[in-house]
Amino acid sequence: VTFLSCMASNYWASTHHTKWVLDKKRLATSNAKDRPHLQGPDDLRILSIHFCMMIQKLGEGMRLRQRVIATATVYFKRFFVNNSYVDCEPRLVLTTCLYLASKVEECTTQAKKYALKMKEIDPTFPYEMNHILECEYYVLEELELSLLVFHPYRALPVYVSDASCTEKDFLDCAWNIANDSYMTDVSLLYPPHIIALACVYLAATMRDKDLRQWFADLQVEIKDVWEVAQELLDLYSILERVNEPLVK
C-alpha cells in the first residue's frame, strides 16, 4: 500500500513518532496521584473516556472540525502522561487543549468563546478567558512544543480502497471507529497507520467482510493491529457497561 512509503518521509521523522509514541510500561505510570483515589480497575479509563467525551461535546459546540477535536484529545492525553487530575483541573486543561488545537489546525476562535461555551455545558466551570490563556503556557511546556499530530484519517480511504471495500457505509463505519479510538490510549502507543488498519479490521468484522488474505499480504506488524483492535473492543465493552452509545 503506497501510504506506508508516504509516511516514511514525514511521520517517522516527526516529533509525534520520536517523542510521543510511548511504551505500555511508561503509560502505566501516568496519573500516579489519581490512582489511590480510585476503586475499580477501570475507573481511570472511565474518567479518561468522560473527559474525551467532554472535549468532543465542547468541540461540536464550537463547530470545530473532527480533526481539531482529535488533535485536542491527543494533547490532553499527552499532558496527563506526566500529570494527574488531582493536581491539574482537567476541565480547564481540556478546554485549553481544544483552544490550542484550533490554532494549530487554523480554526482559531477567541478563548473567551471557549470559556462561555464550556459554562453552557458545565455550569460549575469557574474559569475565564485569562485562565485558558495562562494554562496554554503550561500545556505547551508539557507538550515540549511538539504540536504536530498525525491521525489515522488520511490512511483510512487508502486502505479501504486497496481492500476493495467500496461501499460508503464501510468507510463510514471505519471512520467512526477511528473517532472512537481517541477515547483510548492507542494514539500514545501506536503509529496512526496501525490504528487505521485496526479500524478497517473491526469494520470488516462488523460488516462480515473477509479480509484475511488482504491483511496477510500487508507488510506490517499484524500483532500491533490486533492489539489496537482489542483496545477498541475493550472500550466498547466499557461503554456498554456505562450505557454510552456504541459505534454503528
Side-chain angles (χ1 to χ4, degrees):
V1 179
T2 57
F3 181 75
L4 291 179
S5 59
C6 174
M7 282 190 61
S9 63
N10 42 47
Y11 168 75
W12 302 110
S14 72
T15 54
H16 182 150
H17 174 66
T18 60
K19 289 187 176 182
W20 287 109
V21 175
L22 312 175
D23 60 53
K24 291 182 179 180
K25 289 183 179 179
R26 173 67 188 87
L27 207 55
T29 64
S30 64
N31 296 91
K33 290 187 178 180
D34 297 323
R35 295 177 188 274
H37 301 278
L38 304 173
Q39 297 179 344
D42 290 329
D43 284 1
L44 190 59
R45 291 188 68 179
I46 292 171
L47 264 179
S48 177
I49 291 168
H50 168 74
F51 293 127
C52 290
M53 288 180 168
M54 194 172 284
I55 294 172
Q56 183 72 34
K57 189 171 185 178
L58 178 59
E60 291 175 353
M62 296 298 295
R63 301 182 181 230
L64 296 174
R65 292 182 291 114
Q66 186 60 38
R67 181 185 175 90
V68 180
I69 297 171
T71 296
T73 306
V74 174
Y75 289 169
F76 181 81
K77 287 182 171 293
R78 288 178 179 179
F79 181 91
F80 282 104
V81 168
N82 296 313
N83 294 281
S84 296
Y85 299 140
V86 295
D87 290 333
C88 305
E89 162 63 276
R91 295 176 301 169
L92 176 59
V93 174
L94 71 85
T95 304
T96 304
C97 287
L98 200 56
Y99 170 65
L100 177 59
S102 72
K103 294 201 294 183
V104 171
E105 299 287 351
E106 300 180 353
C107 300
T108 310
T109 307
Q110 294 176 342
K112 181 180 180 180
K113 293 183 179 180
Y114 285 85
L116 291 173
K117 181 58 68 174
M118 191 61 182
K119 289 176 188 292
E120 290 180 20
I121 294 171
D122 181 357
T124 67
F125 184 74
Y127 303 102
E128 306 292 343
M129 176 184 70
N130 60 302
H131 298 112
I132 295 173
L133 296 176
E134 181 181 356
C135 185
E136 184 180 13
Y137 288 102
Y138 292 105
V139 171
L140 285 168
E141 183 178 4
E142 287 298 323
L143 298 182
E144 301 176 11
L145 300 178
S146 301
L147 302 180
L148 182 63
V149 177
F150 286 80
H151 296 285
Y153 300 121
R154 183 183 172 192
L156 275 177
V158 177
Y159 288 148
V160 168
S161 175
D162 191 73
S164 300
C165 297
T166 55
E167 305 90 340
K168 184 180 182 299
D169 73 322
F170 187 95
L171 178 58
D172 290 344
C173 180
W175 203 277
N176 288 336
I177 295 169
N179 290 340
D180 291 342
S181 75
Y182 290 93
M183 288 187 281
T184 74
D185 289 332
V186 295
S187 64
L188 298 176
L189 295 167
Y190 301 93
H193 71 283
I194 294 294
I195 298 171
L197 286 171
C199 295
V200 172
Y201 170 74
L202 288 179
T205 302
M206 294 176 181
R207 295 294 185 264
D208 292 324
K209 286 275 188 178
D210 186 354
L211 296 185
R212 285 176 293 181
Q213 187 58 53
W214 183 78
F215 275 100
D217 292 339
L218 291 176
Q219 295 180 342
V220 297
E221 184 56 67
I222 294 298
K223 174 177 172 290
D224 290 344
V225 176
W226 302 157
E227 288 179 357
V228 173
Q230 188 58 56
E231 285 290 325
L232 285 160
L233 291 174
D234 290 345
L235 166 70
Y236 293 140
S237 177
I238 290 173
L239 290 177
E240 191 171 22
R241 292 205 305 273
V242 297
N243 296 318
E244 294 292 348
L246 303 180
V247 64
K248 299 297 183 186

